[in-house]
Amino acid sequence: MAVKAAPPGEAPAGRLAGRWVPWLVIGLWVALAAVMVPLSGKLSSVTTDRAVDTLPASAESTKVAVLEDSLPGGEDNTFVFVYHRAGGMTDADRATVERHYNTLAERYPPRAAAGEDDEGSATRLSTDGKAMLFTLDVSTTYGAPETIVGPLREAAKDRPAGLELEVTGPAAVDGDMDAVFDGIDLQVFLTTVVVVTLLLILTYRSPVLWFIPLMAVGAAALTAMATVYLLVKGFSIVINDQNSALLTILVFGVGTDYALLLIARYRETLHHHENVRVAMVHALRGAAPAIVASAATVIAGLLCLLVADLNSTSGLGPIGAAGILCALVAMLTLFPAVLVVLGRRIFWPAIPRFNTAVQEKPGLWGRLGTAISRRRWVATLGSLGVLGVLAIGLAGNTGALREQDQFLSAPESVTGFTVLRQHFPELGGQPMTIFTRPAYQERVLDIVQGTRGVALAVPGQTSGGWADISVFPTDAPDTAAEYDTIKRVRAAVHAVNGAEAIVGGPSAENLDTEVTTTRDEKLVIPLVLTVVLIVLGLLLRAIVAPLVLMATVIVSFAAAFGGSVFVFDTILGFKGVDYSVPLLAFLFLVALGIDYNIFLASRAREETVRLGTREGMLKALSATGGVITSAGLVLAATFAVLASLPLVMLIEVGFLVAFGVLLDALLVRSILVPALTLLIGRRMWWPSRLSRPVELPDGQRPLVEEPAPQG
């Protein structure tokens, strides 16, 4: 059988890509999977949501938690049992409360009876006579809050009819929060797979093609999970359930985007090359630089998180970077190898045929580009007007979301705080824990009791060279008023020379987390902008284009945030924005949103060499419009998976990023960037050679005359 000669200028297929190379790549991935898949299942075993692991070691509340853990009996989990009857507590009710406390205190011996009244009873009756409470401190040696809260509630079920009970307190809130995250990794993984599968089927309308990118992305996700597990074990990186879920979302969303871009380029080259291996090599030459630049941008942005003080934030840097790197490697090796092995038939029923005379049709995106070219100022001002209107939403409620407001459906621990405040308004906040040197305990106690916002201060035990004091604030948990009380208490006890007093507790931990996050935002955001700008400059070999693209992404982020705040506040009725949302959303929208500009701008630069700036941008928009829009829809849908989870913070992150990605893909990249490029003209590529008028030897003329820049 004769071997068909390669087209002029094209190297023989054997030299471009060996026949056995795809099979070798697949074999290497199979061997890798045999090692990594078992490790991927261990990722959940190294996740932690403890504040002591999340906060930096320098935080005051972290020092308190570490000290509690080092004392005999370990750190305490504080539960508050609130009993109430609308008609008033009866003698039988009071006896039941006493019996419950005695039973539970015997089962879980407390280190200190914080909250005892003057008669020495551990229970407390409200002034209206309609409620009673007691506080139970359970050592962490008995287990995590989520394993304790259930048995505690079960043990208190034996009570008179009509006597209501809510088990609340810091540990109960933690337990209910952990219950939300139980099985979240599997839920996110399966939901993401279903969403991506449906979108790929709709995109390709092929009974088989959708499975190939899904298989490759799945392999990347499992490899990423195993890699992150090894990173956590080897470098003590902190990973919580939230970051674990984001890892899955990132790999599936970004990996599918890379697959869509490569398939689109591969389909083009199949029309010009009969040999599928040769076609794939040319497709990789065309698409890989943009994909690598996109991945480098996201990885560089994520690694900027390493400078953050909050361990969960800094940990997301290497975790996310590992996920993106695994997606990049899988989509540039395993994915093309499988496509080559399966040949053209994988595109059935719309199989691309080899035909060098294929005529390109302008299509929807070509017509859109022509319309933008005719109305450049209208397109620019109209796009900025839409983004500006959305950004007005930033004037809405952007206050910090309280921990008790994180749940989509309030659990018992949250409703318990409401009942507690109704009947014990003087004990409305979460208890603080103060550690001081024993010789100064009485003095510190006196100072704290006289501090505004403190309802009750009770001395605890003395051990290990430290004495503890339990302090109950008057204000509701995680409110500005309670945080002000914590700050006043800290300032007061720090002023006692020699006491070495430190203040911690659940609300103090939340306050320290908010303060640390604010500090991280001021450091990370400028660093991310600088790093992404440098990557864009290196990719496009220009200064103006990166600045323009970065400006559009920043404006897009403001619009996405504003529009999302309006939805959260007005439609969904959320009571604020979680403190971690702005930084996470900014990172993802800048790093991921710039991807689509990279895909468009890199293709525009490639075409500008041949056609000039105007025709090059229109050609790039026509060639990449469909695939980038599909990629944006897929990425938005994967992040929208987070909105299906019953936690407000994850809903906010998922919605904001999904909305922002759609804005980038459908408005910024499709209309605003092309319009700005056409307005600026060849100056867009300054100071590269493309910014200068085309000069050809021997009187030759360029394929397309380059119009003078406007404005």
Side-chain angles (χ1 to χ4, degrees), residues 278-637:
V278 175
M280 179 57 73
V281 169
H282 282 273
L284 285 171
R285 285 176 178 171
I291 293 175
V292 172
S294 167
T297 304
V298 180
I299 290 173
L302 285 165
L303 290 180
C304 290
L305 293 177
L306 286 171
V307 303
D309 273 345
L310 202 66
N311 292 333
S312 57
T313 301
S314 62
L316 180 60
I319 290 168
I324 299 298
L325 185 60
C326 289
L328 174 68
V329 173
M331 305 322 289
L332 292 184
T333 57
L334 176 62
F335 181 56
V338 174
L339 286 176
V340 167
V341 167
L342 296 176
R344 295 175 186 267
R345 58 184 178 274
I346 195 65
F347 289 93
W348 185 87
I351 300 176
R353 303 296 182 184
F354 170 62
N355 185 357
T356 56
V358 172
Q359 295 293 324
E360 297 182 6
K361 300 179 181 179
L364 171 65
W365 296 101
R367 293 191 294 271
L368 175 63
T370 302
I372 293 173
S373 179
R374 293 172 180 170
R375 298 287 187 271
R376 304 173 191 183
W377 279 110
V378 173
T380 300
L381 297 178
S383 300
L384 292 175
V386 172
L387 296 174
V389 170
L390 289 172
I392 294 175
L394 290 173
N397 180 19
T398 56
L401 189 73
R402 299 191 315 156
E403 185 179 33
Q404 285 75 25
D405 296 327
Q406 283 278 9
F407 301 93
L408 201 59
S409 178
E412 181 178 326
S413 59
V414 173
T415 58
F417 268 110
T418 302
V419 175
L420 180 66
R421 285 194 55 77
Q422 288 175 351
H423 299 287
F424 300 91
E426 73 280 9
L427 301 176
Q430 298 195 82
M432 287 178 267
T433 298
I434 299 178
F435 277 103
T436 182
R437 293 302 180 183
Y440 295 87
Q441 184 181 32
E442 289 299 326
R443 185 177 173 188
V444 170
L445 181 63
D446 290 340
I447 291 175
V448 171
Q449 287 175 331
T451 302
R452 181 163 55 91
V454 172
L456 181 67
V458 181
Q461 74 166 7
T462 298
S463 63
W466 292 93
D468 69 79
I469 301 172
S470 295
V471 181
F472 294 82
T474 58
D475 298 292
D478 294 324
T479 58
E482 188 196 34
Y483 286 168
D484 287 341
T485 298
I486 295 172
K487 294 174 185 177
R488 284 192 294 269
V489 170
R490 282 178 169 173
V493 301
H494 291 169
V496 181
N497 292 328
E500 301 181 37
I502 50 177
V503 180
S507 289
E509 291 170 353
N510 294 337
L511 171 61
D512 289 343
T513 301
E514 186 175 320
V515 170
T516 305
T517 301
T518 301
R519 178 265 176 197
D520 288 344
E521 288 177 358
K522 295 177 181 178
L523 183 62
V524 171
I525 289 176
L527 185 59
V528 170
L529 291 175
T530 302
V531 169
V532 171
L533 195 60
I534 292 173
V535 174
L536 283 175
L538 294 174
L539 171 68
L540 301 178
R541 283 160 282 176
I543 293 177
V544 174
L547 290 173
V548 170
L549 295 179
M550 182 61 71
T552 63
V553 171
I554 293 174
V555 172
S556 176
F557 170 73
F561 201 177
S564 298
V565 168
F566 175 81
V567 172
F568 299 155
D569 188 17
T570 306
I571 299 177
L572 299 179
F574 294 161
K575 297 180 181 179
V577 178
D578 187 82
Y579 56 81
S580 65
V581 168
L583 181 57
L584 288 177
F586 178 85
L587 175 69
F588 291 140
L589 287 181
V590 169
L592 297 176
I594 206 73
D595 276 5
Y596 305 120
N597 284 328
I598 287 177
F599 295 155
L600 176 65
S602 60
R603 183 64 180 263
R605 193 185 191 287
E606 177 185 335
E607 300 294 345
T608 297
V609 175
R610 298 188 306 113
L611 304 175
T613 302
R614 177 184 178 277
E615 293 299 326
M617 173 54 73
L618 296 182
K619 169 68 175 177
L621 181 61
S622 177
T624 65
V627 64
I628 294 179
T629 300
S630 298
L633 291 173
V634 170
L635 186 60

